[in-house]
């Protein structure tokens, strides 16, 4: 049975198979080795995602994924009293919800590699421009997310990874290392450009390359075509019927 | 259980999750509705792919895909006596092999929508340039595939679809409708540019949109976030525990 990699998160995961997307790039890397399945839910925070957890990862499933990425926080960090407050989840609850997800996955399958991803940084100017492009003069004055507040959520995510001994990608910090990250990596102040997608894909590959489920260490599902003798093709496939 | 769409074919399928790829675009269209699984085998012809058929689509599998694309022929059409002759499969056998694949899938699951895709046209000049870029002066003089010969395979594929009442995409003709298709749609005379990927994706969507498994007709897996009441989120998910 083909191993599975599940990407669980919000719109940043849901859109990961768009052009240049990080999910599609991962699927390409694991071509003929593992299936990459998107479980991304635009607009969801961790509180709402918990309602899905047991349905997406039922304890009695016949097989468990080899890798699960958990990538929430961008919506939890929406600020109270501003236009997206409906999505807000308090900082401590965010961490606690992530912990519940990890504990469920560990109960489900102790061997599954869980990778936590922090929310990306926020380009507040980009968010405002985006709001104005949608609503014109009616756009809210204050950004519904700020980089500073989102950074606090990123920190909680990293702390949890440390406490639980999990792999984590500090995307909030990583993206900000590059001059001009605001427009280079984010297309509306929050969602990725192809370059932003590329950074997350690279960071994921870096984490995965040091584990037992590195694509480079996994065998191809069936013989490479160069191993097939044109005159006796059955030889290359004999092992399948043993 | 999430429905599955399986893409079965050669390198044109294996590479379909590369940047701008038609497989990734399909996965994006079916996000939150169906999983798109790549079963692409670079260099394979239909004769070799038959060895994999029962392993990829075992008759006793607990669930069958809702859609399977079968996309072979580019390698079968390699010309005898030229550099890729190892991959050559005679025209009649190609059609017969495709028929075996379809019959197996129909036995496996009569309801599965099978879509045959013809090989794309060949830009012989592009193939030659590509060979020279790899081998310089040692590159073979004559193209290992010609557009005219590949066209005969495309025709067999379409004939079979007609005989068996299957959906088919005549990619060989479709791509050639556009002026400058050679460089616009193919990057090495055979494999797709992002624009070429785009055409196949569009054609697939067109076929799928007229069927019961059109993405537009399929429900989202879980509630859209706008349906969730921030103060009473459990209401939106109550139906899950019924």
């Amino acid at each position: 049975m083909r191993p599975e990699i599940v990407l669980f998160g919000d719109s940043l995961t849901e859109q990961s198979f768009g052009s240049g997307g990080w999910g599609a790039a991962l699927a390409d890397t694991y071509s003929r080795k593992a299936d990459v399945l998107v479980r991304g839910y635009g607009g969801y925070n961790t509180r709402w995602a918990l309602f899905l957890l047991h349905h997406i990862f039922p304890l009695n499933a016949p097989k468990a994924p080899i890798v699960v990425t958990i990538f929430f926080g961008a919506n939890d960090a929406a600020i109270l009293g501003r236009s997206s407050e409906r999505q807000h989840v308090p900082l401590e609850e965010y961490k606690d919800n992530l912990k519940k997800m990890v504990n469920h996955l560990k109960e489900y399958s102790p061997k599954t590699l869980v990778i936590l991803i922090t929310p990306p940084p926020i380009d507040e100017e980009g968010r405002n421009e985006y709001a104005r492009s949608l609503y014109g003069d009616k756009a809210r004055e204050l950004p519904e997310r700020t980089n500073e507040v989102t950074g606090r959520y990123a920190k909680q995510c990293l702390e949890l990874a440390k406490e639980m001994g999990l792999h984590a990608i500090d995307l909030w910090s990583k993206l900000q290392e590059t001059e001009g990250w605001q427009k280079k990596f984010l297309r509306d102040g929050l969602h990725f450009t192809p370059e932003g997608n590329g950074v997350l894909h690279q960071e994921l590959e870096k984490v995965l390359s040091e584990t037992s489920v590195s694509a480079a260490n996994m065998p191809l599902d069936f013989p490479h075509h160069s191993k097939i003798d044109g005159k006796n093709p059955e030889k290359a496939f004999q092992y399948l019927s043993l």
Side-chain angles (χ1 to χ4, degrees), chain A residues 224-237:
Chain A
H224 188 269
H225 79 89
S226 62
K227 309 283 182 204
I228 304 171
D229 178 349
K231 298 215 171 73
N232 291 299
E234 56 284 358
K235 256 179 77 177
F237 299 98

Side-chain angles (χ1 to χ4, degrees), chain A residues 17 20 26 31 43 64 68 91 116 132 134 161 166 184 226 235:
Chain A
F17 277 64
L26 198 71
S31 181
V68 175
L91 200 54
L116 297 185
R132 279 195 298 272
L134 287 182
L166 302 169
K184 190 179 174 66
S226 62
K235 256 179 77 177

Side-chain angles (χ1 to χ4, degrees), chain A residues 1-238:
Chain A
M1 290 229 287
R2 183 78 55 116
E4 287 178 356
I5 296 173
V6 179
L7 314 180
F8 187 40
D10 54 30
S11 57
L12 294 159
T13 295
E14 186 174 345
Q15 295 172 13
S16 69
F17 277 64
S19 188
W22 63 275
L26 198 71
D28 196 41
T29 305
Y30 279 87
S31 181
R32 301 188 55 177
K33 295 176 176 180
D35 288 325
V36 177
L37 307 180
V38 210
R39 295 295 179 269
Y41 299 90
Y44 273 60
N45 54 32
T46 53
R47 190 188 287 166
W48 303 344
L50 279 182
F51 288 104
L52 312 183
L53 189 64
H54 289 252
H55 296 275
I56 295 177
F57 304 103
L59 289 176
N60 60 357
K63 77 174 171 180
I66 54 167
V67 178
V68 175
T69 60
I70 300 182
F71 185 13
F72 285 100
N75 297 314
D76 300 60
I79 295 176
L80 273 179
R82 297 193 187 171
S83 61
S84 295
E85 71 166 351
R86 195 175 63 95
Q87 292 163 297
H88 170 80
V89 170
L91 200 54
E92 277 307 313
E93 185 190 332
Y94 165 69
K95 186 179 174 185
D96 197 48
N97 289 343
L98 286 184
K99 194 172 178 175
K100 282 179 186 158
M101 292 177 191
V102 176
N103 281 335
H104 175 73
L105 288 171
K106 289 292 175 191
E107 182 185 356
Y108 173 57
S109 160
K111 282 187 182 165
T112 295
L113 181 79
V114 176
I115 302 174
L116 297 185
I117 306 172
T118 75
I122 299 294
D123 168 28
E124 294 162 31
E125 198 187 286
R127 287 312 283 162
N128 279 339
E129 281 165 19
Y130 176 69
R132 279 195 298 272
S133 77
L134 287 182
Y135 308 111
D137 288 345
K138 290 181 192 148
R140 71 283 180 291
E141 295 281 302
L142 293 168
E144 86 292 9
R145 293 165 172 85
T146 66
N147 194 36
E148 192 261 327
V149 168
T150 298
R152 289 185 223 155
Y153 285 76
K155 209 175 150 201
Q156 292 294 309
C157 173
L158 296 173
E159 268 186 28
L160 180 71
K162 210 171 166 189
E163 285 166 26
M164 301 187 81
L166 302 169
H167 292 272
I169 293 172
D170 182 2
L171 198 62
W172 189 80
S173 300
K174 181 71 199 174
L175 292 184
Q176 291 184 79
E177 284 172 9
T178 299
E179 185 81 29
W181 59 269
Q182 292 90 338
K183 302 291 178 265
K184 190 179 174 66
F185 295 142
L186 305 172
R187 62 180 161 75
D188 59 5
L190 171 60
H191 297 93
F192 303 129
T193 60
E195 288 80 6
N197 272 295
V199 175
L200 177 50
H201 177 233
Q202 269 177 12
E203 292 298 304
L204 261 175
E205 297 273 345
K206 216 185 285 176
V207 168
L208 289 165
S209 70
E210 291 161 5
T211 70
S212 60
V213 290
S214 150
N217 290 338
M218 290 171 74
L220 283 186
D221 53 351
F222 295 111
H224 188 269
H225 79 89
S226 62
K227 309 283 182 204
I228 304 171
D229 178 349
K231 298 215 171 73
N232 291 299
E234 56 284 358
K235 256 179 77 177
F237 299 98
Q238 260 168 5

